[in-house]
Amino acid sequence: MMQIEPIQPKTLTGGAPLSAADKLEQAFLEEMLKYCGPSASEGGFSGGAGEEQFSSFLTREHAGQMARRLDLGFAGLLEGRA
């Protein structure tokens, strides 16, 4: 008899919770990505209204991943070590 192992869901955030400085960096990066990040597709291969409605979630996730990997120095500014 064949045994099928249960599927374990992966975490979407991929790591520890963001610190206050990382959350600030995420918000900053999210605003920057709104203007210079990937734009919505057009034409036959676009996601249509659904892509427009949910693109902010993808932008937020991209900004969160970038905040985990980059150090913009916001932690030093928040602690007064500028």
Side-chain angles (χ1 to χ4, degrees):
M1 177 187 250
M2 184 168 92
Q3 295 290 328
I4 298 175
E5 297 294 322
I7 297 173
Q8 299 296 325
K10 294 185 178 185
T11 59
L12 295 178
T13 55
L18 292 173
S19 68
D22 285 337
K23 287 180 183 178
L24 183 60
E25 288 178 354
Q26 178 182 0
F28 173 76
L29 290 167
E30 188 175 342
E31 288 300 315
M32 294 301 106
L33 287 174
K34 285 180 186 177
Y35 296 102
C36 63
S39 60
S41 302
E42 294 181 8
F45 291 104
S46 73
E51 183 177 8
E52 290 177 22
Q53 294 296 316
F54 292 101
S55 65
S56 64
F57 293 115
L58 183 59
T59 302
R60 182 176 299 134
E61 185 62 27
H62 283 156
Q65 293 297 323
M66 289 174 68
R68 283 185 179 84
R69 289 174 175 78
L70 298 174
D71 181 18
L72 300 178
F74 286 15
L77 293 172
L78 290 175
E79 296 172 0
R81 295 181 287 144

